Amino acid sequence: MLRIEDALQIILDRTPLLGKEEIPLTEAVGRVLRHDAKSDLDLPPFDRARMDGYALRAADAATASESNPARLKDIGEAAAGRSFDGTVEPGEAVRIMTGAPVPAGADAVQQIEVINVTDGWIEIRKAVQPGQFITPRGIEARAGDVMVKTGERISPAVAAVLASFGYARLQVSRRPRIALLSTGTELVEVSEKPGASQIRNSNTYSLAGYAESAGAEVVSSGIVRDDFAATRDAIAAGLEAADAVILSGGVSMGDYDLVKPALVELGAEIFVEKVAMHPGKPTVFAKLGDKVIFGLPGNPVSVAVSFHLFARPALMQMQGAKDIHLPRFQAYAARPVKGAPPRRSHQPGRLTIRDGRAEVEPLKWSGSSDLVAFMKADCLIVVPEDRASVAEGELVEVISLNIKQ
Ligand code: AMP
Ligand code: MG
């Protein structure tokens, strides 16, 4: 049985990097950038007003007050997209709108709320500091700087940055193509009513969502009976169509667990068979040529945990992503949490902030088949392999399941 870290290293060492493709920015969110993106201009490109008011020389109103306002000549206007082309001389001011370039000569903006405007003149009723209400040119970005690095996953906020620097088209990783196979003679499709000793296939639907949230594209999915030839042929078809085949079920020690023998018959090399984790011990990783194969456990909670710990990082690495893991952080256990020595345990939990600190509540669940309880989880609580339990109030590690992209 491999340690989680060792299994992960074995998997990542054997996971290939996929090629690139060029796409428009409109399709870029969720994709991994494959080149550095540099700024082609300063941002802001000019000293920019942060308030509606007047641009002026601060020295002209340094001591202005309600009882002793500074009187200045109103010489024109600057609005967003329309600059004032003259120079502000001593004793002068220019009406300015938020977002407009601050005119030459001016070194501050005062807000309209503390200014009386009369015909051609203004009175400033509050002292002005040099630089106030101005966002200086280049403070957000300098022309030529690397703004987004290769390997960054493009979030909506990153897309806005790329837009600002003119990246209408980008080189990103091709999306990993995934074939999903749910093994099990007991499985029926979602539209069918299960007979005695049957259950509906649910893993296809969780796995498809998890794979897509990791940037992958599901190109085929289906149920395979626990039959050797059917399993072998379905895996072979998946390998034809996809970069990665992800199976669920059929990897434990039962008489009808046929995934490993089918992989061997196809000539795949199996690198991982069992991992010291709970749930998810029977996790298989194999390779055939450049194609990777994950044989995940059948139980719905196990399949999710195993996907998040192994398949997700592999899919992210295939895309050249820098950040391949789900976020981990620490929280206080709101109740005792059970462990599973000698395996490391991942208990479904819910996070809350109480009295300003992160607390995690282990969910009541009846075991690794309990997909109904798991639906409510927003994190996994990690209980170390040498701990039978974690006490209430102890700090524990949690893995966030709030998967955004
Ligand atoms: P297995 O690893 O094939 O022995 O499956 C373990 C458990 O998970 C069994 O109770 C299966 O019925 C269940 N299971 C396997 N595949 C699925 C699936 N696609 N959807 C829901 N449950 C499944
Ligand atoms: Mg099975």
Side-chain angles (χ1 to χ4, degrees):
M1 203 152 58
L2 290 166
R3 291 173 67 236
I4 292 175
E5 290 76 7
D6 297 335
L8 186 63
Q9 198 56 52
I10 288 170
I11 293 168
L12 295 179
D13 285 347
R14 288 164 180 78
T15 299
L17 176 65
L18 295 179
K20 307 178 235 186
E21 61 184 358
E22 192 182 297
I23 58 161
L25 181 58
T26 46
E27 290 164 20
V29 170
R31 306 295 293 270
V32 177
L33 190 65
R34 287 287 285 275
H35 54 82
D36 287 348
K38 286 187 180 174
S39 56
D40 64 341
L41 36 76
D42 290 345
L43 213 63
F46 41 78
D47 290 344
R48 184 164 61 193
R50 262 192 288 153
M51 288 281 179
D52 294 316
Y54 275 83
L56 66 150
R57 292 167 170 265
D60 283 350
T63 58
S65 64
E66 287 287 344
S67 56
N68 181 28
R71 193 171 144 82
L72 302 174
K73 189 154 192 260
D74 184 347
I75 59 163
E77 184 186 280
R82 207 154 32 76
S83 57
F84 175 82
D85 292 331
T87 298
V88 178
E89 301 291 350
E92 294 178 346
V94 166
R95 177 84 174 103
I96 196 160
M97 318 302 157
T98 302
V102 175
D107 63 357
V109 169
Q110 185 58 294
Q111 62 198 110
I112 196 70
E113 287 83 351
V114 297
I115 299 176
N116 300 337
V117 180
T118 55
D119 214 20
W121 293 87
I122 62 166
E123 281 182 352
I124 298 189
R125 309 192 310 270
K126 195 171 170 196
V128 175
Q129 308 286 327
Q132 77 172 40
F133 300 137
I134 293 176
T135 305
R137 172 176 182 159
I139 197 168
E140 294 158 4
R142 285 277 178 203
D145 284 357
V146 173
M147 304 310 297
V148 186
K149 290 216 174 98
T150 186
E152 184 92 36
R153 195 158 188 216
I154 301 169
S155 68
V158 169
V161 171
L162 294 168
S164 294
F165 300 113
Y167 286 90
R169 298 188 72 79
L170 308 157
Q171 294 280 329
V172 298
S173 293
R174 171 166 91 58
R175 296 178 69 179
R177 287 191 291 264
I178 306 296
L180 290 178
L181 286 174
S182 281
T183 74
T185 301
E186 75 279 25
L187 301 176
V188 297
E189 257 319 336
V190 56
S191 51
E192 293 173 57
K193 185 85 181 167
S197 77
Q198 292 185 319
I199 57 164
R200 289 197 179 96
N201 164 28
S202 59
N203 289 347
T204 293
Y205 302 92
S206 53
L207 285 176
Y210 293 143
E212 279 161 11
S213 78
E217 178 188 3
V218 176
V219 293
S220 72
S221 65
I223 295 172
V224 202
R225 281 174 299 119
D226 292 320
D227 169 88
F228 180 77
T231 306
R232 179 197 59 204
D233 295 349
I235 296 173
L239 289 167
E240 281 280 304
D243 304 303
V245 177
I246 303 181
L247 297 116
S248 78
V251 283
S252 1
M253 300 302 285
D255 292 344
Y256 297 99
D257 290 327
L258 301 166
V259 170
K260 281 187 276 181
L263 288 172
V264 170
E265 164 112 344
L266 286 167
E269 195 175 348
I270 297 176
F271 294 100
V272 175
E273 290 185 65
K274 280 198 189 77
V275 185
M277 60 191 278
H278 164 83
K281 182 172 80 168
T283 288
V284 169
F285 172 76
K287 264 194 96 174
L288 184 59
D290 251 6
K291 310 280 175 103
V292 299
I293 303 141
F294 285 94
L296 305 181
N299 268 313
V301 180
S302 318
V303 85
V305 172
S306 202
F307 180 92
H308 292 318
L309 262 51
F310 302 111
R312 181 187 165 92
L315 294 177
M316 299 298 283
Q317 186 175 290
M318 283 174 120
Q319 298 165 80
K322 280 186 307 198
D323 225 353
I324 62 174
H325 296 294
L326 289 173
R328 287 174 188 248
F329 47 92
Q330 307 252 302
Y332 292 94
R335 283 196 290 113
V337 193
K338 271 214 303 256
R343 292 183 279 157
R344 192 179 303 163
S345 183
H346 298 82
Q347 300 279 321
R350 274 187 80 82
L351 282 160
T352 47
I353 303 290
R354 188 167 302 140
D355 300 332
R357 61 180 213 168
E359 285 194 1
V360 63
E361 172 103 7
L363 286 172
K364 289 197 179 63
W365 62 314
S366 67
S368 52
S369 63
D370 195 348
L371 75 179
V372 177
F374 192 68
M375 173 174 72
K376 301 193 184 77
D378 57 12
C379 67
L380 298 171
I381 309 170
V382 183
V383 184
E385 36 275 76
D386 58 348
R387 299 287 304 273
S389 70
V390 162
E392 182 179 327
E394 257 190 80
L395 208 49
V396 282
E397 185 180 27
V398 298
I399 303 173
S400 172
L401 297 179
N402 284 331
I403 306 154
K404 297 229 173 53
Q405 288 161 336

